[in-house]
Amino acid sequence: MEFQIFSKALYSTWILYRPERVLFDVGEGISTVLGNSVYAIKDIFLTHGHVDHISGLWGLINTRNTAMGDRNKQLRINFPSGNRAIEAYLDFIIGMNPRLRYNMILNPLNVGDEVYLRTAGSFRRHVTPFKVKHTIGEISYGYHVYEERRKLKDIYGGLPSKEIASVVKEKGREAITDTYLQKIVTISGDTFALPPEVISNSETLLHECTFLVGKDRRNQNHSSIDEVICTVRQSSGIKRLILYHISGRYTSKIKKWHNIIKKELEGTGTEVFLVHPEHVFEL
Ligand SMILES: [Zn+2]
Ligand SMILES: [Zn+2]
């Protein structure tokens, strides 16, 4: 399993990316669902300070302190630097838990910072925040997960594989390849629809889609489906689109909407999934 997600607009949102044991947002109910898996989490990335995205943090920090599990594992909490609601909440949590039995690191982030997740040999992945448009005065981020990959240098592109093999033998693999960064996951956070240049070439895009009917939206703080479809159509290289933060008002019509959106995105090469507002989504 790669993703485990619960998300219902206004109530709770959390996104677990299992390969890196990273949690994006910590809405209420998370510890109950994850149980002992709360120990597996190494990093938390908060998108913003609205209660439906942070209310489960206090519980999670406590559960890790008291339940059975490996207490030596540290927990790093990454959040938008200067976000007053998050800072106040973290102060409160720390005040209420003066004797934590594991190392908790607070890591305020600025746009463009790189948070390394794991490095094993040449395998490197990091998370980078970018700014998104949500409510006024609320510093809100989306996040990209990047992977460093290598590709054959252009000058070797036309060579037959036998010759490439002999060059590798002579000069080593590094000499014939260039490194590049591949966006493997993008999390939108709560936001107005992201522009194509932000989401293009992200292999898996998790985009908020609070409104499945455009006219249900009163303020331009969230995305509606027509804008998400529009920006995805103008982008390229998105293999999977996971729509989350869907309003509970659409609960009985998720299947219908899934079929409509699938049709709308036919021919784009993007496979679409909807996170049902009442169920834990797994992929
Ligand atoms: Zn929200
Ligand atoms: Zn919000």
Side-chain angles (χ1 to χ4, degrees), residues 16-30:
L16 178 60
Y17 180 49
R18 282 193 170 267
E20 296 301 329
R21 303 190 199 162
V22 167
L23 189 61
F24 294 94
D25 286 336
V26 198
E28 68 168 27
I30 177 155

Side-chain angles (χ1 to χ4, degrees), residues 46-198:
L46 301 174
T47 59
H48 65 299
H50 287 164
V51 69
D52 51 322
H53 298 256
I54 62 171
S55 56
L57 187 60
W58 187 22
L60 186 143
I61 286 169
N62 268 280
T63 311
R64 266 181 75 122
N65 214 31
T66 50
M68 300 289 283
D70 184 355
R71 295 209 182 95
N72 295 321
K73 287 181 187 159
Q74 70 166 37
L75 178 68
R76 183 168 52 180
I77 301 174
N78 308 274
F79 58 98
S81 179
N83 185 302
R84 303 244 304 271
I86 293 174
E87 284 168 358
Y89 185 42
L90 288 171
D91 274 353
F92 161 78
I93 292 174
I94 290 162
M96 296 298 277
N97 300 271
R99 280 185 296 277
L100 273 188
R101 288 188 263 192
Y102 57 90
N103 193 15
M104 188 168 85
I105 297 166
L106 303 185
N107 190 26
L109 295 178
N110 292 302
V111 167
D113 281 355
E114 294 175 352
V115 180
Y116 279 83
L117 300 175
R118 145 171 83 136
T119 41
S122 59
F123 186 80
R124 283 159 74 87
R125 285 180 176 176
H126 70 264
V127 175
T128 294
F130 58 92
K131 224 178 204 141
V132 300
K133 269 191 238 165
H134 191 29
T135 54
I136 294 166
E138 180 67 21
I139 303 169
S140 305
Y141 287 170
Y143 291 101
H144 293 305
V145 182
Y146 283 102
E147 184 177 283
E148 256 180 49
R149 290 187 185 166
R150 304 192 79 89
K151 65 173 179 210
L152 204 61
K153 280 183 178 165
D154 288 347
I155 50 164
Y156 298 106
L159 287 187
S161 52
K162 252 190 179 169
E163 282 181 46
I164 291 175
S166 74
V167 181
V168 170
K169 228 179 180 182
E170 192 192 330
K171 299 182 178 174
R173 193 163 289 277
E174 272 74 53
I176 65 157
T177 52
D178 285 323
T179 54
Y180 68 102
L181 289 175
Q182 175 67 48
K183 262 185 257 173
I184 54 170
V185 178
T186 296
I187 313 269
S188 74
D190 278 14
T191 179
F192 203 59
L194 296 174
E197 60 269 25
V198 173

